[in-house]
Each structure stands twice: as C-alpha cells, then as structure tokens.
Amino acid sequence: NAGVTQTPKFRILKIGQSMTLQCTQDMNHNYMYWYRQDPGMGLKLIYYSVGAGITDKGEVPNGYNVSRSTTEDFPLRLELAAPSQTSVYFCASSYYRRIAGLKTYEQYFGPGTRLTVT
Amino acid sequence: AQTVTQSQPEMSVQEAETVTLSCTYDTSENNYYLFWYKQPPSRQMILVIRQEAYKQQNATENRFSVNFQKAAKSFSLKISDSQLGDTAMYFCAFMADYGGSQGNLIFGKGTKLSVKP
C-alpha cells in the first residue's frame, strides 16, 4: 500500500492564480480530510468527507473547494490564491471500526504540500 | 466545542534522559480518543501513541507512555531514554467518538522538543 499520497510537494503561486492539490489513498478509507498548518501552529481542518459524494466544511474553509467523486481521491481546489493561503497542506484518511465490541480508530497523513503565494 | 492546549511551546532534554510533555483538553463528551503525533523536520505526521477514553489503563508504546487523567482532562506524554531522533514537534490531538461516527481531530499548537547530545 502507498498509503496517502499528495501532489505536488511544493508549489509557488502568484496572487489570483488557481490550482488543485491532489490527494489519493489506497486503503479504502471512508473518511478523508484536508488540513493546513501555518508556521508554529497545529493543524486546522479545511474540509472533510465521510464518503464518496459527501463533503463538509471544517474550521477554515474560506477560499477552498473540494469534491469527492471516488473513495480514493479528494482534491482540494484554490480558486483565487491569496498570500494568507501560504501554508503547508496535509491530506489524511481514516478508518473507524468496531471489532468484537472494541472500537479502534487511526488517521493516516500524507507527506504534505508546501504552498507559497506571492 | 472541544479545545486542546499544550502549554509548553519548547522543551529540551539530554540524550538518554526522560521528558514529559503536557496536554490538557476541554470537552463535554464522554467518549473520545486522544493522540500524540510527532512531526520531524521532514514534516511527516507520525502517530506516536493513542488512548481510548474508555480504557483506564495508560497506553504505552516502547519508550513512549501517557498519563491519562480523565477527570482532570489531562493527557501527558512521557518519553524515556530520549534519543536524538526524538527531536521534533509533538502535537496532542483529540477526537470525539459519537458511537457510529467520529468527530474530527482537534490539534494543540505543539511542543518543540530538542534532544541534546
């Protein structure tokens, strides 16, 4: 399994440009997430999805859009890039299972995309 | 709303010694998970340890252990026999368990740990 993969690893955008950050997971997880991490801070949730065709806003959704047409892919779209969107972006996927009455949960992260908007 | 607080922005420890990182959280939920993630300079988020709130026993993973105090809403991470490779940012995170579904991960701001030779 490749786990969670993200492309690109680095990108520089000019103000007003658009781009899509790609995220793919091969673990058949229902849940997928996009986070951003600003310098010296923890991760903040942008959008999440509980399954194909279902997405919802997180804590900081403004300026972003997502879609989830398949279980595997969860792209993040920036339509009009702004300097405030300079950050490191992480995609993640997770499973939540009950086995023999016991619950277990784990979230897997991609390697991140460093985006600079100038 | 749930919150996670890490009150130590930076810490340092000598190699082979023990260090404890603090984390407190606030929630009205009774069922939840707590996590410690490690983020080395490579940026990769690595799960260090996980604690289910319904378990009274503290989780351990090799040199890493937690002190989970549910009533006090405290979840500290102890690293024993610190190694140079433990140098990283450490994030405490909370996730509510709603029975048939899960909440989202709520992260603290992190503690930067430096292990000195």
Side-chain angles (χ1 to χ4, degrees):
Chain A
N1 286 352
V4 180
T5 57
Q6 291 181 237
T7 56
K9 286 187 168 52
F10 304 92
R11 184 72 185 267
I12 299 175
L13 282 182
K14 294 188 185 304
I15 295 171
Q17 285 185 321
S18 301
M19 78 163 295
T20 299
L21 280 65
Q22 301 292 343
C23 175
T24 300
Q25 54 95 6
D26 62 358
M27 297 171 283
N28 202 32
H29 289 168
N30 282 346
Y31 290 80
M32 294 189 74
Y33 310 82
W34 275 106
Y35 296 91
R36 60 177 286 172
Q37 183 182 27
D38 298 330
M41 302 292 286
L43 278 67
K44 292 189 176 180
L45 184 65
I46 304 171
Y47 270 95
Y48 67 100
S49 169
V50 301
I54 306 170
T55 62
D56 209 346
K57 295 177 181 178
E59 183 182 356
V60 290
N62 291 345
Y64 307 95
N65 279 300
V66 294
S67 60
R68 183 98 182 269
S69 57
T70 67
T71 299
E72 294 78 19
D73 299 307
F74 190 42
L76 177 72
R77 179 87 178 155
L78 284 71
E79 290 293 348
L80 291 170
S84 61
Q85 293 177 304
T86 293
S87 190
V88 179
Y89 292 83
F90 289 95
C91 179
S93 71
S94 70
Y95 69 80
Y96 171 85
R97 293 178 191 152
R98 279 179 181 262
I99 300 174
L102 295 178
K103 295 176 285 188
T104 186
Y105 168 86
E106 190 153 343
Q107 187 162 117
Y108 295 82
F109 285 83
T113 295
R114 181 178 292 278
L115 175 67
T116 302
V117 182
T118 63
Chain B
Q2 294 100 1
T3 59
V4 176
T5 302
Q6 292 179 250
S7 59
Q8 305 152 315
E10 292 191 42
M11 294 191 73
S12 65
V13 63
Q14 291 296 127
E15 195 175 7
E17 293 188 346
T18 296
V19 63
T20 299
L21 280 58
S22 301
C23 174
T24 58
Y25 58 95
D26 190 24
T27 183
S28 58
E29 301 293 334
N30 191 48
N31 298 315
Y32 50 87
Y33 296 84
L34 294 162
F35 307 85
W36 279 98
Y37 281 89
K38 171 185 177 181
Q39 187 180 42
S42 67
R43 289 203 316 255
Q44 182 70 46
M45 293 291 286
I46 302 166
L47 178 64
V48 175
I49 201 164
R50 171 182 63 213
Q51 174 80 42
E52 291 86 345
Y54 64 86
K55 291 185 178 178
Q56 292 187 337
Q57 187 172 4
N58 288 326
T60 62
E61 288 287 342
N62 301 314
R63 297 183 295 107
F64 299 89
S65 61
V66 298
N67 183 5
F68 173 47
Q69 302 288 329
K70 190 172 184 179
K73 297 181 181 174
S74 170
F75 182 61
S76 61
L77 174 69
K78 184 170 85 171
I79 306 174
S80 304
D81 186 25
S82 297
Q83 300 176 359
L84 296 178
D86 296 333
T87 293
M89 283 289 288
Y90 286 82
F91 293 98
C92 179
F94 169 97
M95 189 198 76
D97 179 359
Y98 299 123
S101 65
Q102 62 192 57
N104 298 314
L105 276 176
I106 310 296
F107 285 88
K109 291 185 178 181
T111 296
K112 184 177 181 180
L113 177 67
S114 299
V115 180
K116 300 184 184 305

